[in-house]
C-alpha cells in the first residue's frame, strides 16, 4: 500500500531525478513529476508530469496542492556564474519552501551536495557537525538552501532532509570516486528512508555508497536508517588502470569537493573534469 | 568449561530475566536466580532459586556470598509514582551494590535503560558521552543507579557494566522500534560479553540491536565486543502496515524515550502505550 | 522594589543558609526561612521562620504556597552512611520539587556541590559538560537531585539552577582551597543572579570564587552573569605558611573533591579533614 | 599615521555606520562613505560620500577602485519579506565581494548578526564553532553572506571578518540586553581590531560588550584582540525597574535571537519589539 | 600492472617485514628489501636485497635513489634501554626521512605502534585525535617518528602514513588480543591501501583487525579505505581455555598498551610477556 | 620561608634562565645554577654555579642529588640541523629526566616552546588539547621532551610542567608579538606557580602574557593559577609604526610558529628574523 497520496518530484528529468521516478511512483498514489524541460514520454502508474520553472513562484505554488512531501532535485548541476545560480538555487529554493508551507506540505527531501562542504580535507573524516565550506557558487546555493530548510523547520515546522549527494554516477570512474561514489541504487534507498522515517525535523545526511574509502561519517543521522549497499571498490581494477598519478598537494584529491575545489568560481566544473579526462563531480 | 563458580541473577522471573536464565546457567557452575515472585518451576542445570525483595538488605546480603558477578535485572519495568520506585530503584540498588561489596563480588551487570537518556532527540545520534536526561521517575532511578555504580567503581573497585536497554521485545511492533528494538538474542550476547570481558571498570553501553535505524552509537564501549546480529528492518513490512501517521512535532517519535518522553510523571507508560495501540517502551 | 512576593529558603540556619537570609530578604516582600532546627532569634524585615523536616512531604507542601522561587540549601553537609542521606538528599529533594510543582513555584535554586563531580582530576579543567562523577554518598545525592531537577524542567517546566558549591568558608585555609574557595560574598552574588535571570531552564553552574587557581570553567552558563569578585590568592601567604607537603599521587590534591575523594564511603569527611589539620571540604 | 590609503564604508548613514565614520576617517587617508540615502552634511577630514545602491553591480564596482579594505554595513536592519532581502542581503553581498575581488581589495569587515545563530539557546553558551541557525530571513541573509565570504577566502584569498553584532544600541533597554548589548564604543573597538590585525583569513566573531551576562564565547577568535570594555550590568537598576516578568518557556528570552526568534517570518521584528514596549533586537 | 617503479622496504627480515615482501613485490617493478641482518635466501620477482643499518646515514642515502615510496618497518620490536633505541628509533627515523627527502621520495608508510598511545585506557574508545601517551621508550620512539613525519609533511611535502600496529601475530593468544589482534592478511591490506591512496598528507591509522572487541576507532582515516577482514573472535574458544583471571585493576588489561603499560622502562616487554605465559605485545 | 631545600636551574646563563636566577634563589635554600657556559660573576644568596653539558649523563647525574625540583631551561634556542639538536634536545632531555628519577627529584619545570605546536593556525584559537605540530627540528625536540615527560609521569610518577614559551623578550617588537609576547615578569610568575602548585602530574601550559591578542587558551591548566599581568597592546603604537604590511597568505603571520613556520628545516630562524628586520621568535 502506498505510503503517500501525493508526492512532488522536481528536476524529474535530470540525471538523478529520472532515477527516482519509478521508485517514487510505487510509494504514492500520485507522483507529480516536474521539470523545466518537456521530457518524459513514458509515465509510470500514478505519475503525471507538469513543466514548470521553479524560479517562478506562480508556477511553483499550484504544484504543492495536496502534496504530502516534496523531493526537490531541480537545479543547475554544475558550477556557473552567480547570476545563473541565483534563480534556481536561491529564489527557486525559497519558492519551493514557501509554496510548500502555504499548502501544508509536511516534508521536503532536498538534493543538497558534497559541494556545500567541499573545501573540507578528505583526511579530516568529517561528520555531520562540520560547518559549511562551499567550494563553488553551486555549493553556496546548497548552503543557502540548507540554512533556509533549517529556518523553515525551526520557525514553521516544515521538515527537511538535506541529502549531500557525492559522485552519483552509474559507475565510479576515477580514484576519488572510489571514496565518493553514490550508486543509483543507494540514492534510491536514501530517498526512501528520508520519506518513510516518521519524524525528521531538519536533518542533513551524506549521500555516499558503502565504499571502503568513503571519507565521511553519517553517525548523527543514524536514526534515518540509511544503509548503502554498493561499494566502489568493486571497480578498483578498472579505475586504477586509467588513474593519473596524483600530485601530493593536489587539492582535487585532498578536498572533499574534488575538481570543484580547484575550478575557478563561476566556470564549469563539468567541463574541467572532462578536460582532465575524468568523469565525476 | 564454565567461566564462573557462582552468578546471581536478580529479576530472574521478569520478561528479560527469564530470557537470561538458560544462557547464564551455561556460563557458571551455580546460577542463583532471584525474584520477588515465587516463580520458576523448571530449573536449569546448576540453577537454584531464592525468593527475595531487593528492597530489604537482610534479604540481599546472603545472596551475594561466594558470587563472582551479579546480573541485576530486578526492578519495576514501568513508570510509576516516585514512592513506588524508591524501594526497588533507589534503596534496592544501594542494597545490591553494598552487599556485593561486602562479599567481594567483582562485577555487576545492570539493566539500566534508554530512559536514563530518554529526553535526548533521536536525531542527535548521541554516543556514550551524552549526559543523563531521564524521561520518567523510572529513568531517574536508572540514572541514580548508574551514578552509584560509578561511585562504587571509583571508590571501591567494584566493576559495573550498565546496559541501557532499549525496546527489548520478541519483535519490533512500531516505527520507533525499527530503531530501538533489542532482540532477545542480542540481549543475551550483550550480557555474555559484559561478563567475559577481562576488565570493565565502569562502562555504560546502549542495548540495541543491529537495526538499520539504530539511533545511538556505542563506539566508546567498543572494547566490550558487543556485536548485535538482529535487525528490526526485517520486520518493516509488518510494522509499516499498521503504523499510525506521526505528527512532525511528536516527542514520542523525536525523543529516544518514545512514549515515556510524553507520559505524565508517575503514570504508567505501558498503559499509555497500550492505549496508543502500540507495544514497545 | 523587591523582585518577588515570596521566596522560600530551606536550610536557613546552616552555615551557608544563614549567609543568605539577609540578602534574600531584600529581594522579596516575604522571605520564608525554613530549617529542621529551631534557630534564628533575629528575623530580617519581611522574614518569617518555620521549622520543618524536608524529609516529610506534609511538612514541605504548605511551605510552597504562593512562593515565586525556592532557594533549597537544606541537607546534611557531610559524608554519612547512605541510610542517613536517603531522607534529606533523596526523599527530601523529591518532596521539594513535587511540592513546588503542585504549588506552581517557578524556579528552584539548589545547593548542589563539587562532590557531584568530585572524582574528576583538577588538571582536566572541566567545564559544565563533564559527566557526574560523585565522590561520596553525599555527592551521589547531589547527582540524584540534579537529574531530578532536569526531569522536572523537561517534563513539567519547573526551572532549576544547580549551584555546584566548592569550598564555601570565611577564608581559604589550605592549598586546595586556593583553587576551590567560594567566598560568602560570591555565594550571595551567585544566588542573586540565579534568581534574577529571566529564564534559566535547567542550568548547573560551578560555585567558586574568582581565584587565580580555580580549576573549573563556567562558560556554558555565562548567560547567568555570575562574576565572582573574591580571590583566594589574597590569602596565599597565610595558607602556604602552614601547608603540608603534598604527595605527587595524593588524590585529595589531584581530584576536584579533595579529601572527599579519599574518605571511605559513609564516613565523615569533615572529621577526616579535621584530623588532617585542615578546614575545607 | 593612517594605516590605509582608502577604506570604503557602506551603510554609512545607518545607525551603526554613522558611529563608524569618524573613527574610520582617522585610520585612512581617504574614507569613502557610501549609502543608498543621500545623507551626511558634515564630512570628516579625508571623507568623501557617494550615494549607491549595493544591489546594483554597476554602482558597486567603481567604489572599490584603489580600496585597501571595505567595511560593509549596508542592508535592511530588520526582518522583512524574502523578496525585500533578496536585493540587499543576497545580490548586494555578491556585488560587494565580486567587485572587491575585481579591484584587488584585501579584506572585508562585514556586519553580520546574532540572527545568523539566533535559534541557539542562550543557555548553550555557544562559541564560534556553532553552526548557523538563522531566526529570520534577515538572519538567513547573514548566513548566506558568511558562507560567501568563506568561499571567496578559500577560492580567491579575499579576507573577511564577519561581526555577529548583537544588540547595538546607546544603552541596554531590557533584561535580554543585559547579556546581548554591544556599546558603540565596543563596536568601534571591534572594527578597528578587525582592520589592523595583520592576517585574518575568514573569521567570524561575536559582537557583544563585556557584559556580565554575555551568552557567547569568542575564544577561537582571540587572536583578533577584541577586548570589549563596556558592561550592560551598569544599567541593571534602570532595566530591572521596567522589566516585564518573563515566562519560563519564552523563546524570546531563551534563544540568542530574542524577539526575532518568535517574530513570524517576513514580518518586522522591530515593530514587534516596539509593540512589546521594548527596544532592542 | 605494477603501480610503482621502485619501493623500498626496511626491516624486510623482521617478523612483519617478511610478511610484506611478496605482496609488495607484486605492486612494483623493483622492490628493494633492506635489513640490518643478512637474511633472505629466496627473492621474489623484481626483489633485490641490501644489508644496511638505518642508524647510519651513509648507508641509508643510496637506498632511496629512484624510489617512489618507502615502507619503513626497521627498528627494535621491544622495549629496551633508551640508549639502545636512540640509534634505530630516533636517528634512524631522521635518516630515513632526510634521505627520502633528498631523493624526492613521495611517501613513507611507517610501522608505528599502539605503544605510541599505550597508556590510554581501552575503555575510552579513542579515535585518531587522541594525543600521544607512550608506554615505553619503544613507544616514545614511535611518538618521535610520527611528529617527525608530520614535520616533513608540513614543511617539505613528504607524505606519510603512520600505522599504529597492535598485536600482529599469526593468531590471537590471550584475552587482550581478542581486541588488539592484527592478522597478517589485514596488515597487508593496510599497507596496500596506504600505498595506493592518491594523496595522504600526514595520516595516522590504527592497525587492528576487524575484531568484535577492537578498542579503537579509525573513522578520521576512513578515506584510506582500510577494511580489515579477520576477526580475533574466531579464536575465542582457544583463548578463553587458557586465560588467566584478570585483576579488575590490572593496567595490562585496562590500558591499550597491555603488558607494555606495566613493564619497567627499559626492560624487555617481550620477556615479561613470556614470563606471564602470554604471547602478544 | 623558602619552599624548597634545593632547586636546580639548567640553562641558567641563557636569555631566559638569567631572568629566573634571582626569583628562584628566593624560593629555595640552595639554588644550583647550571650552564654549559662559564658565566655568572655575581651569585645570589644561596646560589651556587656548576658548569655542565646536559648531553653528558655523567655531568648531569651529580647535579640532581638532593634536589626537590628542576627548572630545565638548557638547550639551543634556535632552529639548527638535526645533528646539532640531537645532543641537547633529545639525549639531554633523557639525561635530565633519568637523572632526576634516579635521585628522587619530584618535579621538572621544562622550557618547552610554542614551536611544538607552531604549525597550528593562530585563527584556530587552540587550547591544550591540540596535538603536536612542530615547525622545526627545534620544535620537534620540544615535542619529544613533552612525550618523554608524560612517559616518566605515567610510568614513574615524576611530575612535569611543560611551559610552551612564546615570544619571551623585553618588549614586543612586531605585530605577531602583540599576540605572542611573554614578558619576563610573566615568565617568572609562570615558573613560580609551576613550582608551588601542590600536585601537577603532567601538565602543558602556554607561556604567553595577558595580551589582548593572545591566540591560545590555557583553560585546561587553570588550576595552576597562572595569571599573566602584562599586555603587549601597551606597545601597539611603537610596533605599528614599524610594521611591514603582511601578505594575506603569509604563514609567518597565520601560524602560531611565526617565522619558524617558514624557515627551512635546519636553518637558523633567528638569522631569518634578523634579515626580515624583526626581533621575535
Amino acid at each position: 500500500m502506498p505510503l503517500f497520496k501525493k508526492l512532488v518530484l522536481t528536476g524529474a528529468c535530470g540525471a538523478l531525478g529520472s532515477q527516482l521516478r519509478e521508485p517514487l511512483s510505487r510509494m504514492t498514489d500520485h507522483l507529480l513529476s516536474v521539470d523545466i524541460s518537456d521530457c518524459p514520454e513514458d509515465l509510470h502508474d500514478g505519475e503525471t508530469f507538469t513543466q514548470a520553472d521553479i524560479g517562478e513562484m506562480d508556477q511553483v505554488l499550484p504544484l504543492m496542492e495536496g502534496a504530502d512531501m516534496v523531493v526537490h532535485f531541480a537545479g543547475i548541476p554544475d558550477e556557473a556564474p552567480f547570476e545563473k545560480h541565483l534563480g534556481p538555487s536561491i529564489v527557486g529554493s525559497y519558492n519551493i519552501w514557501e509554496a510548500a508551507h502555504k499548502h501544508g506540505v509536511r516534508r521536503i527531501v532536498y538534493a543538497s551536495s558534497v559541494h556545500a562542504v567541499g573545501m573540507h580535507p578528505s583526511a579530516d573524516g568529517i561528520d555531520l557537525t562540520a560547518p559549511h565550506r562551499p567550494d563553488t557558487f553551486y555549493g553556496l546555493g546548497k548552503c543557502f538552501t540548507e540554512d533556509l530548510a533549517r529556518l523553515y523547520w525551526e520557525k514553521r515546522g516544515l521538515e527537511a532532509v538535506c541529502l549531500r549527494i557525492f559522485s552519483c554516477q552509474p559507475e565510479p570512474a576515477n580514484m576519488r570516486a572510489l571514496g565518493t561514489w553514490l550508486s543509483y541504487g543507494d540514492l534510491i534507498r536514501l530517498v526512501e528512508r528520508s520519506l518513510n522515517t516518521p519524524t525528521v525535523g531538519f536533518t542533513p545526511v551524506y549521500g555516499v555508497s558503502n565504499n571502503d574509502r568513503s571519507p565521511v561519517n553519517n553517525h548523527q543521522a543514524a536514526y534515518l536508517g540509511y544503509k548503502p549497499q554498493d561499494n566502489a571498490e568493486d571497480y578498483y581494477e578498472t579505475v586504477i588502470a586509467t588513474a593519473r598519478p596524483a600530485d601530493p598537494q593536489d587539492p582535487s584529491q585532498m578536498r572533499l569537493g574534488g575538481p570543484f575545489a580547484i575550478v575557478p568560481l563561476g566556470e564549469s566544473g563539468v567541463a574541467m573534469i572532462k578536460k582532465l579526462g575524468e568523469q565525476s563531480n
Side-chain angles (χ1 to χ4, degrees), chain A:
Chain A
M1 199 182 65
L3 281 172
F4 302 106
K5 292 193 178 156
K6 178 180 171 183
L7 290 179
V8 179
L9 171 66
T10 71
C13 308
L16 305 192
S18 58
Q19 298 293 327
L20 295 174
R21 287 172 48 218
E22 193 274 336
L24 290 182
S25 74
R26 284 185 284 106
M27 297 180 79
T28 183
D29 293 334
H30 174 204
L31 172 65
L32 172 54
S33 289
V34 180
D35 206 287
I36 199 170
S37 309
D38 173 15
C39 70
E41 301 196 351
D42 54 328
L43 292 174
H44 300 279
D45 277 356
E47 187 185 21
T48 64
F49 178 80
T50 297
Q51 196 171 355
D53 178 351
I54 63 159
E56 301 298 325
M57 179 61 101
D58 56 358
Q59 296 183 35
V60 174
L61 255 179
L63 305 173
M64 300 296 171
E65 189 169 353
D68 296 305
M69 297 187 183
V70 174
V71 179
H72 176 37
F73 270 60
I76 303 177
D78 192 6
E79 175 59 345
F82 181 76
E83 294 81 359
K84 287 217 169 175
H85 271 294
L86 182 62
S89 297
I90 307 282
V91 176
S93 289
Y94 167 73
N95 289 344
I96 293 285
W97 260 262
E98 183 67 16
H101 166 67
K102 283 191 173 146
H103 279 288
V105 169
R106 174 177 175 154
R107 184 183 301 173
I108 298 174
V109 176
Y110 171 59
S112 183
S113 166
V114 59
H115 300 296
V117 292
M119 296 306 283
H120 283 285
S122 302
D124 282 2
I126 61 169
D127 61 22
L128 291 161
T129 64
H132 284 155
R133 290 182 69 180
D135 52 24
T136 46
F137 291 132
Y138 173 70
L140 181 63
K142 301 302 187 186
C143 294
F144 169 81
T145 307
E146 290 194 359
D147 285 340
L148 174 81
R150 187 161 192 161
L151 176 62
Y152 270 75
W153 163 246
E154 298 207 304
K155 293 298 284 280
R156 287 178 162 174
L158 177 50
E159 294 181 311
V161 184
C162 293
L163 318 176
R164 291 178 180 166
I165 294 171
F166 278 61
S167 306
C168 198
Q169 305 277 356
E171 293 184 6
N174 52 40
M175 285 303 289
R176 174 174 168 265
L178 290 186
T180 61
W181 187 49
L182 175 65
S183 73
Y184 290 152
D186 283 333
L187 170 67
I188 292 165
R189 280 172 206 109
L190 178 54
V191 172
E192 285 174 344
R193 292 281 160 95
S194 299
L195 291 168
N196 74 25
T197 297
T199 63
V200 299
F202 166 77
T203 298
V205 60
Y206 294 117
V208 66
S209 278
N210 186 30
N211 307 318
D212 279 9
R213 308 185 195 228
S214 167
V216 289
N217 190 317
N218 264 331
H219 74 84
Q220 281 101 350
Y223 81 105
L224 276 182
Y226 168 54
K227 292 284 170 182
Q229 298 179 10
D230 297 314
N231 186 342
E233 208 66 25
D234 296 341
Y235 300 82
Y236 175 77
E237 294 302 333
T238 310
V239 166
I240 198 72
T242 61
R244 295 171 299 110
D247 186 275
Q249 305 282 2
D250 182 0
S252 78
Q253 294 288 347
M254 301 170 85
R255 305 272 179 166
L256 286 179
F260 277 46
I262 55 169
V263 78
L265 285 186
E267 296 187 14
S268 168
V270 173
M272 195 188 70
I273 291 164
K274 284 188 184 147
K275 198 177 62 183
L276 294 173
E278 298 192 359
Q279 150 218 34
S280 135
N281 72 323

